[in-house]
Amino acid sequence: MSERQKLSPSDWWATSIIEMKPGMIRYRGYAIEDLIGRVGFAEMVYLLTRGELPSKPAAKLLEAALVAAVDHGPQAPSIAIARMAMTCGVGINNAMASATNVLGDVHGGAGEQCVELFNAVAARLPEGARDAAAITKAVTEEIEALAARGIKHVPGFGHRFHHLDPRAPRILSLVDEAAKEGAVSGLFAAIGRTVEDVIAQRRGGKRVPMNIDGATGVVFAELGFPPPLCRGLFVLSRSVGCLAHAWEESQSDYRNKGPIPRDQIWTYTGPGPRQVPE
Ligand SMILES: CC(C)(COP(=O)(O)OP(=O)(O)OC[C@H]1O[C@@H](n2cnc3c(N)ncnc32)[C@H](O)[C@@H]1OP(=O)(O)O)[C@@H](O)C(=O)NCCC(=O)NCCS
């Protein structure tokens, strides 16, 4: 019998997150009735995922990142899928799950890889080095390492729709404020900006601006979130938009609304009409 199989039933789902008895609920040691009305949703997310309540400036940054990504309209696959799923007669939870399932490496989920990149750059910096030349060298080496692995699109940069993603500069300005107050180091904001500069240098001066995943990636890296959690945080945020769009679509009289209007048919690229062989 393995060590795991020897566990008592009470240890089977052992967790440091929540303690519960009839009439008692504690998250990480704090009574729920003390948290309710005192902490915001972002602080609760931080407490549950990180084990401690965040400082006020950290909570403000996390809140900003969660607010920034809630919705990107029905041209974002996640939002379109939430709406389309709803018209198929599924429940709102199914619509939200279908939508968040497409938050992958290219759409919405790039934050995880972006934080991995920022952390890898930070790990390349010589002990204590924070100057622009050292950061540029570390970023260049890391982008070259990505290219050697066949990754041409640097995660967290570029956007299908916006030439300049309006969310990114605002988020970075909040990180700058927090760094000035000494609440975060500001190192990852510098790394993010340098990544943008190095991409431009490699493209003969053509810039590929930081997108929402890059900017929230800066926040998450500054706050020390492990990369896989960053994707989850984006999913949490985007779930709000998926919920709102699924609900709005459910109020329409559409049933089974396809991805394009039914009178617009796709381009067929296969063989012409032919006989089924005998
Ligand atoms: C979001 C994304 C799919 C948009 O792609 P797109 O608008 O179709 O851009 P293209 O792939 O046509 O790229 C246009 C040019 O910019 C370059 N480019 C685009 N994004 C780039 C990036 N992240 N890193 C480096 N170069 C990039 C392309 O290499 C291409 O260069 P070329 O004109 O010399 O061939 C793309 O930028 C990307 O994959 N980014 C990384 C993933 C990411 O952060 N996703 C979250 C988006 S919110």
Side-chain angles (χ1 to χ4, degrees), residues 59-186:
K60 188 178 165 192
L61 280 183
L62 178 59
E63 169 106 34
L66 292 175
V67 164
V70 288
D71 189 9
H72 201 242
Q75 68 84 34
S78 48
I79 298 292
I81 287 167
R83 299 193 75 115
M84 195 166 69
M86 208 63 204
T87 72
C88 299
V90 300
I92 209 159
N93 57 318
N94 303 111
M96 290 172 73
S98 302
T100 54
N101 256 334
V102 301
L103 295 172
D105 291 350
V106 177
H107 169 46
E112 176 180 355
Q113 300 153 314
C114 181
V115 175
E116 274 170 8
L117 165 71
F118 292 162
N119 288 344
V121 170
R124 279 183 190 269
L125 289 173
E127 187 72 30
R130 294 286 182 272
D131 56 291
I135 294 176
T136 303
K137 180 171 178 289
V139 165
T140 306
E141 286 168 3
E142 203 48 47
I143 288 184
E144 277 166 6
L146 283 184
R149 290 186 350 242
I151 301 171
K152 178 179 144 199
H153 292 89
V154 180
F157 296 81
H159 205 282
R160 224 160 43 94
F161 190 80
H162 302 291
H163 174 60
L164 181 65
D165 189 328
R167 300 164 289 188
R170 173 68 182 144
I171 292 174
L172 280 190
S173 76
L174 292 174
V175 176
D176 290 344
E177 270 174 36
K180 258 192 217 140
E181 291 164 11
V184 294
S185 72

